[in-house]
Amino acid sequence: MLEIAILLFLIVLMVSWFIYIFCKRVIYKLNKRVLPRNLAIVKNGPYMAKFEELTVEEIRQKLILPMFMILGYNTYDMREFQSFIGRADFLPDYVVKKWDHSKLAKNALSVKYIPFKEDAVDYSNNTYDEKYGAKLSVLMDKLYFKSEYYVLTNGCIYLFFNKNTNPDSRRFEFAFNLKSYSKQDTAWLAYYTKQYLFLELSDVYRA
């Protein structure tokens, strides 16, 4: 009887895994198709055109928040998109959280605005020059950094650092430039959408 129960459990687990992979793939393909159209609205909008003239608050409200809305995050939900602006410098400006039945399930993204220039980003080596702001070793200190990714942005360029990154290497996983991006860039960006990052095997198993 125990062997049958174990076998049934393994079958359910395997089926759930295949459904999970299938759902992830479908979500990715849908987001990959929709993102270019939505990104173009911000890229070709009035605020991107006068980027150099914007205040910090305007950059946050007119570029950063719309960018994460495009990625599917509810920036109006303080539980999902929690703001830490005005607190300690080593804290992120925002932490994107997944909640499951009123329980915190995951910190998906930590987001920090830093007014760095484009010359701080080495696209060929995927490295970031820290001369414009706080060091990654401070921002990604495990004492208070609990997210899957850390996103540094100046409102135009978005650098995604994986939680397993060695901060001293200053190597980012992916960079997205709102002013200039390719089809391949939007394809990579689809991996950081809410629907893709939030879906986990446990969600499928429970369903």
Side-chain angles (χ1 to χ4, degrees):
M1 200 69 180
L2 179 61
E3 290 82 357
I4 295 175
I6 294 174
L7 181 60
L8 286 173
F9 172 76
L10 291 175
I11 291 173
V12 170
L13 188 62
M14 188 176 297
V15 171
S16 298
W17 174 257
F18 281 116
I19 293 174
Y20 166 73
I21 296 298
F22 173 77
C23 290
K24 277 276 202 179
R25 198 65 193 160
V26 169
I27 288 170
Y28 170 75
K29 287 184 176 181
L30 288 174
N31 287 330
K32 180 182 172 183
R33 184 180 301 175
V34 171
L35 277 176
R37 181 182 62 211
N38 294 336
L39 287 167
I41 296 173
V42 178
K43 177 184 179 182
N44 301 321
Y47 298 104
M48 203 68 233
K50 56 179 183 179
F51 176 72
E52 301 297 336
E53 304 169 21
L54 298 179
T55 65
V56 172
E57 185 59 23
E58 286 174 330
I59 289 174
R60 285 197 174 109
Q61 294 296 325
K62 307 300 183 182
L63 294 177
I64 296 176
L65 294 184
M67 176 65 171
F68 284 95
M69 288 175 69
I70 288 171
L71 294 178
Y73 302 102
N74 186 355
T75 59
Y76 294 102
D77 185 344
M78 293 174 60
R79 279 162 48 85
E80 180 176 314
F81 209 89
Q82 186 175 3
S83 174
F84 290 91
I85 294 173
R87 301 192 187 182
D89 288 341
F90 58 80
L91 292 177
D93 292 338
Y94 310 99
V95 175
V96 181
K97 300 182 176 185
K98 174 187 176 182
W99 294 87
D100 184 9
H101 299 292
S102 299
K103 292 182 180 179
L104 180 62
K106 175 195 286 188
N107 288 333
L109 304 171
S110 289
V111 184
K112 182 82 170 176
Y113 166 76
I114 294 179
F116 60 82
K117 304 298 182 184
E118 190 161 6
D119 64 358
V121 182
D122 183 345
Y123 293 100
S124 59
N125 294 310
N126 281 24
T127 55
Y128 166 70
D129 192 327
E130 298 173 321
K131 61 186 176 184
Y132 291 105
K135 292 184 176 296
L136 282 172
S137 57
V138 175
L139 298 177
M140 298 182 71
D141 191 309
K142 299 299 183 184
L143 184 63
Y144 38 80
F145 171 63
K146 308 294 182 184
S147 300
E148 298 290 314
Y149 293 94
Y150 208 114
V151 185
L152 293 186
T153 179
N154 62 0
C156 175
I157 301 170
Y158 295 78
L159 306 177
F160 292 80
F161 296 85
N162 189 287
K163 67 178 180 181
N164 297 319
T165 298
N166 177 2
D168 293 328
S169 72
R170 298 175 287 111
R171 289 183 63 85
F172 51 82
E173 183 176 280
F174 173 64
F176 187 85
N177 190 332
L178 259 175
K179 283 184 179 178
S180 175
Y181 55 83
S182 65
K183 221 180 235 190
Q184 185 179 11
D185 291 331
T186 57
W188 271 105
L189 190 63
Y191 288 114
Y192 303 95
T193 59
K194 172 182 175 177
Q195 297 89 342
Y196 191 87
L197 278 185
F198 275 21
L199 183 66
E200 296 177 309
L201 180 60
S202 57
D203 300 319
V204 177
Y205 184 74
R206 284 197 304 271

